[in-house]
Amino acid sequence: MKSLDGAAAVLDHGGSLGRAMALFPNASQPFVDLSTGINPHSYPFFELPATALSRLPEAARVRDLADVAASAYGAPSAANVVAAPGTQILLPRVASLASPGKALVLGPTYAEHQRAAAIVGHAVMEVDDFEAMAGADLAIVVNPNNPDGRVIARKRLLELAGKLRARGGLLVVDEAFMDVGPRAESLAGDVGQGGVVVLRSFGKFFGLAGLRLGFALADALTVERLEAQFGPWAVAGPALEYGIRALADSGWQAEMRRRLAEDAARVDALFGRFGVAVAGGTTLFRYIRLSDAAGLFSVLGERGILLRHFSDRPHVLRAGLPGGDAEWQRLESALADWAQQRDDDAKEIKQ
């Protein structure tokens, strides 16, 4: 059980090419960035109406986005959806819906939840026992989990929500990767009963992280409270237009889920060829436990392949998906170099 006292400093995350260049200044360029769980096959770009940039966003377009998001995610109605410039900005706002008390985060998981809850005054602890979450004033579960892909069944989450709701607590379920998860386990359709907030990320599955768009799904009163914190024009015009079009494009989504499943299986097979077993994850990232995780991270980094390494979990790596043939080839070549170096070291030890 780990605690976080006060508002910790901003934590390191994947996706920082500046940090990668500082760590591996002599690496081959450009970097193949596999340190994030962002889809390398982004939703197709299209020509935006000029008004998306030249005018303040219209309230009618915000309502259109809420309508299409409710349909795409399975929320009861648009009244249960609040759009925001990314889910990251929602974290402390959602945590503040519960009066400062004991916040429990089911871990190990995305560290920003602990930081956000601490910022708004909660005493935060990370726990690895789901049953312990019932003792929280604020309970936070990432589902599917980042980085290992663990999934908590909807039935268990609803039971937890009921226990918390009975004494004024709040359950927050971060479904950032549910687009590629078992969607039947989503709590999006259950938010109307209160005591539950579901977070959904747009940028990860649609490969448009820089657009900054995310959603909180909740009962209508909670949505009104969150919207009041943002005020008007919280979501930029381009994000509105991409969100409306992409979330309504069920054909693209179905085809992308198929493609990502194939790519994830290919990643598993490639690592497996070099003796690295994949232990879990989602189809947007793969979870690896390896005694020489630091060595693999370094060898690949020196060759311009950036994985996600965790300073507090030295035997864990997370690998995203290559985006094209050249990136697949570079990953295969770097893994071959690492395996050769590993085998050579083993021979020296035996001699």
Side-chain angles (χ1 to χ4, degrees):
M1 184 178 287
K2 296 189 293 183
S3 63
L4 185 68
D5 298 320
V10 174
L11 301 164
D12 173 58
H13 301 289
S16 172
L17 293 182
R19 179 173 176 270
M21 285 186 267
L23 281 173
F24 306 110
N26 300 315
S28 303
Q29 300 286 340
F31 273 95
V32 176
D33 186 8
L34 307 183
S35 68
T36 77
I38 298 166
N39 188 352
H41 315 297
S42 64
Y43 189 78
F45 297 146
F46 59 89
E47 187 173 349
L48 289 168
T51 53
L53 291 165
S54 63
R55 293 185 57 81
L56 289 169
E58 294 285 349
R61 291 308 269 167
V62 177
R63 290 193 294 271
D64 290 342
L65 177 61
D67 279 331
V68 73
S71 177
Y73 295 138
S77 75
N80 301 104
V81 178
V82 57
T87 50
Q88 184 65 39
I89 203 168
L90 281 164
L91 300 188
R93 289 167 169 81
V94 169
S96 71
L97 295 170
S99 298
K102 181 166 68 171
L104 298 181
V105 181
L106 186 63
T109 193
Y110 182 55
E112 284 291 338
H113 283 292
Q114 291 189 66
R115 191 177 73 91
I119 284 171
V120 298
H122 291 284
V124 189
M125 301 189 79
E126 182 183 274
V127 299
D128 58 9
D129 177 11
F130 179 77
E131 302 306 323
M133 305 291 282
D137 299 298
L138 171 67
I140 301 171
V141 178
V142 179
N143 205 43
N145 192 44
N146 173 15
D148 60 9
R150 176 201 62 216
V151 173
I152 303 295
R154 174 174 169 266
K155 179 181 177 182
R156 297 181 71 195
L157 289 169
L158 288 176
E159 290 172 353
L160 173 60
K163 293 175 183 176
L164 296 177
R165 187 166 50 246
R167 50 188 187 76
L170 177 67
L171 172 63
V172 176
V173 184
D174 182 348
E175 295 185 353
F177 291 99
M178 189 56 82
D179 289 284
V180 294
R183 285 171 288 159
E185 306 301 343
S186 171
L187 260 61
D190 304 296
V191 296
Q193 60 192 267
V196 177
V197 176
V198 170
L199 300 174
R200 296 297 292 249
S201 170
F202 176 83
K204 294 178 177 62
F205 176 60
F206 289 99
L208 296 170
L211 201 66
R212 306 313 303 139
L213 179 61
F215 302 90
L217 315 179
D219 64 275
L221 248 148
T222 298
V223 165
E224 288 178 8
R225 287 178 63 186
L226 289 170
E227 286 178 335
Q229 292 187 43
F230 283 114
W233 317 306
V235 177
L240 288 173
E241 298 304 319
Y242 268 94
I244 290 166
R245 181 175 295 197
L247 285 168
D249 194 343
S250 57
W252 183 90
Q253 294 171 47
E255 172 58 23
M256 184 51 60
R257 289 187 181 99
R258 183 201 62 78
R259 180 177 187 179
L260 292 173
E262 289 182 353
D263 283 358
R266 184 177 175 185
V267 168
D268 292 1
L270 181 56
F271 275 93
R273 276 176 48 198
F274 298 102
V276 179
V278 172
T282 72
T283 57
L284 279 174
F285 60 82
R286 310 307 291 151
Y287 177 71
I288 296 166
R289 293 187 61 86
L290 185 71
S291 59
D292 188 31
L296 179 57
F297 173 78
S298 295
V299 170
L300 266 59
E302 289 163 0
R303 287 154 181 77
I305 312 291
L306 187 62
L307 303 184
R308 180 78 167 93
H309 195 213
F310 300 85
S311 58
D312 60 337
R313 284 162 278 167
H315 302 313
V316 168
L317 293 170
R318 192 187 66 192
L321 307 179
D325 289 343
E327 293 191 356
W328 283 102
Q329 290 166 10
R330 285 184 61 188
L331 175 60
E332 181 176 7
S333 177
L335 283 170
D337 288 347
W338 170 77
Q340 185 63 58
Q341 182 174 311
R342 175 199 60 193
D343 295 344
D344 289 346
D345 290 345
K347 288 178 183 177
E348 285 186 14
I349 291 172
K350 288 181 179 179
Q351 290 174 352

